[in-house]
Amino acid sequence: MPAMQVAIAIAIVLATIFAMEWVAWASHKYIMHGFGWGWHRDHHEPHDKTLEKNDLYALVGAAMSISMFALGSPMVMGADAWWPATWIGLGVLGYGIIYTLVHDGLVHQRYFKWVPKRGYAKRLVQAHKLHHATVGKEGGVSFGFVFARDPAKLKAELKAQREAGIAVVRDSAGA
C-alpha cells in the first residue's frame, strides 16, 4: 500500500474514533436516557451482577463495526465494496476498545481497580460520577465517555437542574 493510502487510512480511523465520541454522546443522551432506558437503567442502579442489560449496547457498536467491515470487503460486496468502510469499521472498533477500557475499566472498575489521584483520568471519573448523580433518566450531565468537561461546571449544571425541577440529584452529588 503506498504511503499516501496508508496516511488516508490512518486519518479515516482517527477521524472515526473522534466522531464516535459524538455518536456515543448523542446515543447516551437521546437513546439510552430516552426510549432505550430499559436497557440502560440497570447501569444506573446498584447491583452485584457481572453483566448488565446496558452491555447490549456494546453489541450494537459491534454490529456497526462489523457492518462497516462487510461494506468494505470485496469478498462480501464484490465490485461494490466501499474501501473507506474497512477503515471506518476499524475506527468504530478502536473506539469500542477505548470505551471499554475507560468507561467500564477505569470509571466503573469492572476490570481493574485504580483510582486516579490527578490529571485527566481523575477528571473523567469525576465527570462520570456526576453523570450518575441523578435519580432516573431525566436531566443529567456529562453524557460523553472519553472527553470530560470541568467537574465544577458540571456541578453547577446539576444544581441548576435540581433548582429548576428538571432532575432529582442524589444528596452525595455535591450539586
Side-chain angles (χ1 to χ4, degrees), residues 124-140:
L124 277 170
V125 172
Q126 289 175 324
H128 200 72
K129 286 191 182 301
L130 289 168
H131 171 73
H132 281 267
T134 57
V135 176
K137 69 179 187 174
E138 303 303 325

Side-chain angles (χ1 to χ4, degrees), residues 90-153:
L90 191 58
V92 173
L93 173 63
Y95 183 83
I97 292 167
I98 293 166
Y99 165 87
T100 298
L101 292 173
V102 170
H103 179 263
D104 290 347
L106 173 68
V107 174
H108 290 288
Q109 299 191 354
R110 288 176 78 179
Y111 312 124
F112 52 86
K113 305 288 183 209
W114 175 61
V115 179
K117 303 292 185 213
R118 63 184 183 282
Y120 195 73
K122 180 179 179 181
R123 182 176 172 144
L124 277 170
V125 172
Q126 289 175 324
H128 200 72
K129 286 191 182 301
L130 289 168
H131 171 73
H132 281 267
T134 57
V135 176
K137 69 179 187 174
E138 303 303 325
V141 295
S142 192
F143 291 92
F145 294 108
V146 179
F147 299 112
R149 292 178 44 226
D150 178 7
K153 291 179 181 177

Side-chain angles (χ1 to χ4, degrees), residues 30-144:
Y30 297 109
I31 296 173
M32 294 177 187
H33 282 256
F35 67 86
W37 181 248
W39 281 7
H40 191 58
R41 173 186 284 125
D42 68 345
H43 180 67
H44 282 265
E45 297 171 348
H47 63 80
D48 58 357
K49 298 178 285 184
T50 301
L51 296 174
E52 305 171 342
K53 279 186 189 175
N54 184 67
D55 294 330
L56 292 169
Y57 285 112
L59 298 178
V60 174
M64 290 169 49
S65 181
I66 291 166
S67 296
M68 289 291 103
F69 282 121
L71 286 172
S73 170
M75 289 178 60
V76 175
M77 300 299 292
D80 293 329
W82 185 52
W83 71 267
T86 299
W87 306 112
I88 293 169
L90 191 58
V92 173
L93 173 63
Y95 183 83
I97 292 167
I98 293 166
Y99 165 87
T100 298
L101 292 173
V102 170
H103 179 263
D104 290 347
L106 173 68
V107 174
H108 290 288
Q109 299 191 354
R110 288 176 78 179
Y111 312 124
F112 52 86
K113 305 288 183 209
W114 175 61
V115 179
K117 303 292 185 213
R118 63 184 183 282
Y120 195 73
K122 180 179 179 181
R123 182 176 172 144
L124 277 170
V125 172
Q126 289 175 324
H128 200 72
K129 286 191 182 301
L130 289 168
H131 171 73
H132 281 267
T134 57
V135 176
K137 69 179 187 174
E138 303 303 325
V141 295
S142 192
F143 291 92

